[in-house]
Amino acid sequence: MGQSARLTRHPDTVDAALARMRGLAAALPERDGIAVFNRVYLAVTEAVGHRLTAGRFADPRAAATLDVRFAERYLAAVDAAAEGRRPPACWRPLFQFRRHPGVRPLQFALAGVNAHIGHDLALAVVDACHVLECEPADLEADFDRVGDLLAALEEQVREDLMPGPDLLQIADPLTHLLGAWSLERAREAAWSAARALWALRRLPEVAEEFTQRLDAAVGFAGRMMLTPLPDRPARAVD
C-alpha cells in the first residue's frame, strides 16, 4: 500500500476519519479485500456523520468520541500492515488473503466487520470511557445506535455481494460458511467484553491477557470466514 493511502494518522474527528477512509478508497484496487471492507465502513461512518449533524444522538460528543476511537483501531491496523508491522491478530487473515482470487467480496466485507466489531469495538468503548471520564453504561445508548446502523448495512452488504442464482456452486458453501456468523451476537459480545475490560482496568496484566485472547479468537473466526471457494461452478458429470 503506498504512502498516499495512509494520509493523516490518528484522526481526532469524524471528518478526519472519513478523509482517511476516502483516501484509502481512492488508492486501493477495487477488488482488494481491504478496499471491499473500507467501502462498507466508509458508508457506516458517513451515516454516523450525517446523524451527528442532524442531532440524532443524545450526546453528540460521546457519540463522536466513540466513532473516532472505533475508526482509529481499523486505521491503525492499516498503518501497521503498510509499514511492515504486524496488525492485531483479528485483522491478519484479511491482510493475508486480501488479494486471494478464491475469496469472494462478501467474505472480505464480513471478515472485516468481524474483526472490527468482535475486537475493536470493545476496546474503542474503553478508550472512549477514558477520554470522556465516564462508565460504559453512559455510552450504551450511542453504542446501540451505531450498532443499528451496522446491522442495516450488513443486510445491504449481503444483498449486494452475495453471488447470484447462476453461481450456486459458490453461493451454497458461502451461505453455509457465513450463515453461522451473526452481527447481533458479535455486538452483544463486544459490549460484554467492553464491560469486562473496564472492570479489569486496574488489573493491567489480566486485562492484557483478556485482550490478547479476544484478539486471537476473533482472528480465528476471521480466518474461517476467508476460506477460499471454487472459482466457478463445476460441470455436471454425465
Side-chain angles (χ1 to χ4, degrees), residues 7-238:
L7 301 180
T8 304
R9 64 187 66 225
H10 305 310
D12 57 2
T13 66
V14 174
D15 285 344
L18 285 168
R20 285 225 48 201
M21 290 179 217
R22 288 170 182 148
L24 287 168
L28 294 173
E30 183 178 357
R31 183 61 176 75
D32 182 283
I34 299 300
V36 174
F37 169 73
N38 189 75
R39 288 194 294 273
V40 172
Y41 191 35
L42 175 58
V44 171
T45 308
E46 287 176 336
V48 171
H50 293 322
R51 292 194 177 197
L52 282 167
T53 301
R56 300 282 295 278
F57 289 98
D59 186 341
R61 177 173 177 255
T65 300
L66 177 58
D67 189 63
V68 169
R69 293 295 175 170
F70 191 28
E72 189 176 58
R73 292 278 171 181
Y74 157 60
L75 295 170
V78 171
D79 286 341
E83 295 165 3
R85 295 180 286 112
R86 282 164 66 85
C90 60
W91 285 106
R92 285 175 210 157
L94 185 54
F95 283 103
Q96 180 183 359
F97 285 85
R98 62 191 294 182
R99 298 183 181 89
H100 196 295
V103 179
R104 301 295 153 185
L106 178 60
Q107 293 172 267
F108 287 137
L110 293 186
V113 173
N114 170 69
H116 204 37
I117 299 293
H119 173 265
D120 294 353
L121 184 54
L123 273 62
V125 170
V126 174
D127 291 342
C129 286
H130 283 299
V131 170
L132 297 167
E133 298 182 340
C134 69
E135 298 285 326
D138 298 321
L139 298 178
E140 188 168 8
D142 292 326
F143 177 96
D144 288 341
R145 287 188 179 93
V146 172
D148 290 342
L149 287 173
L150 288 164
L153 189 65
E154 184 209 17
E155 183 177 346
Q156 187 63 48
V157 165
R158 288 178 184 268
E159 291 178 1
D160 290 349
L161 298 182
M162 179 66 81
D166 56 327
L167 295 176
L168 289 178
Q169 180 76 12
I170 295 170
D172 280 349
L174 188 58
T175 300
H176 288 297
L177 183 65
L178 301 175
W181 187 83
S182 161
L183 186 143
E184 183 61 30
R185 289 197 298 270
R187 215 171 91 185
E188 292 172 356
W191 182 247
S192 295
R195 293 178 62 204
L197 283 169
W198 185 252
L200 292 170
R201 66 191 182 281
R202 294 184 179 88
L203 298 171
E205 292 184 3
V206 179
E208 178 62 22
E209 182 179 351
F210 182 96
T211 301
Q212 289 178 359
R213 291 187 181 279
L214 176 67
D215 190 19
V218 173
F220 179 77
R223 174 62 186 86
M224 296 301 100
M225 295 172 82
L226 292 170
T227 299
L229 300 174
D231 185 53
R232 59 179 61 85
R235 293 183 179 180
V237 178
D238 293 334

